[in-house]
Amino acid sequence: MNSYRTGLISEFIACLYLRLHGFRILKRRYVTGRNTGRAEIDIIAKRGNLITFIEVKKRHDVLTGLDAVTHKQSIRLRRAAETYISKTNWQGDARFDIIVITPFNIKLIPNAI
């Protein structure tokens, strides 16, 4: 299976996990614009007064998944999130999470970025 397809399946599993934990999915694969230096946000979800910007990684262990989000990528994710917040006039709390999907576990790491 290629990495694009694996990514789609992983994001689908992450969405199911989030829904089971009380989140409402607002957007999937949110991109602010091509060639703008912005990143794609895998999932934007909401629970109460909290909006979360979620990066999904499928790896063999959680630590490798966390290491897969580089400093440069986290900066681009923040810029993309700022654009989303300004476009939607979001007034509540916001955070960045990472969901790491391993062969036997799904791990949500809040405030990871």
Side-chain angles (χ1 to χ4, degrees):
M1 187 177 336
N2 65 27
S3 60
Y4 177 77
R5 192 170 181 162
T6 301
L8 288 177
I9 293 168
S10 299
E11 289 173 18
F12 177 76
I13 292 168
C15 285
L16 290 176
Y17 177 87
L18 290 166
R19 286 185 188 129
L20 289 172
H21 287 86
F23 286 91
R24 191 177 95 213
I25 307 303
L26 300 177
K27 295 273 184 191
R28 289 184 62 191
R29 301 186 148 244
Y30 175 77
V31 179
T32 57
R34 300 287 178 206
N35 303 317
T36 61
R38 308 286 173 137
E40 175 187 272
I41 299 173
D42 293 333
I43 301 170
I44 302 173
K46 180 182 178 230
R47 181 169 64 184
N49 195 37
L50 172 69
I51 192 169
T52 62
F53 300 94
I54 301 160
E55 181 68 16
V56 179
K57 295 294 181 185
K58 183 175 187 318
R59 297 293 189 271
H60 291 289
D61 60 76
V62 174
L63 188 57
T64 307
L66 290 174
D67 288 342
V69 180
T70 65
H71 178 69
K72 186 176 178 179
Q73 183 182 15
S74 67
I75 290 170
R76 287 195 328 264
L77 288 168
R78 285 184 189 274
R79 287 184 185 147
E82 289 168 358
T83 301
Y84 180 84
I85 288 171
S86 68
K87 281 184 177 180
T88 60
N89 294 319
W90 177 254
Q91 299 297 318
D93 297 327
R95 75 178 188 208
F96 292 89
D97 298 347
I98 296 176
I99 291 181
V100 181
I101 299 175
T102 64
F104 302 106
N105 194 11
I106 300 171
K107 180 74 174 169
L108 172 67
I109 298 100
N111 293 314
I113 299 176

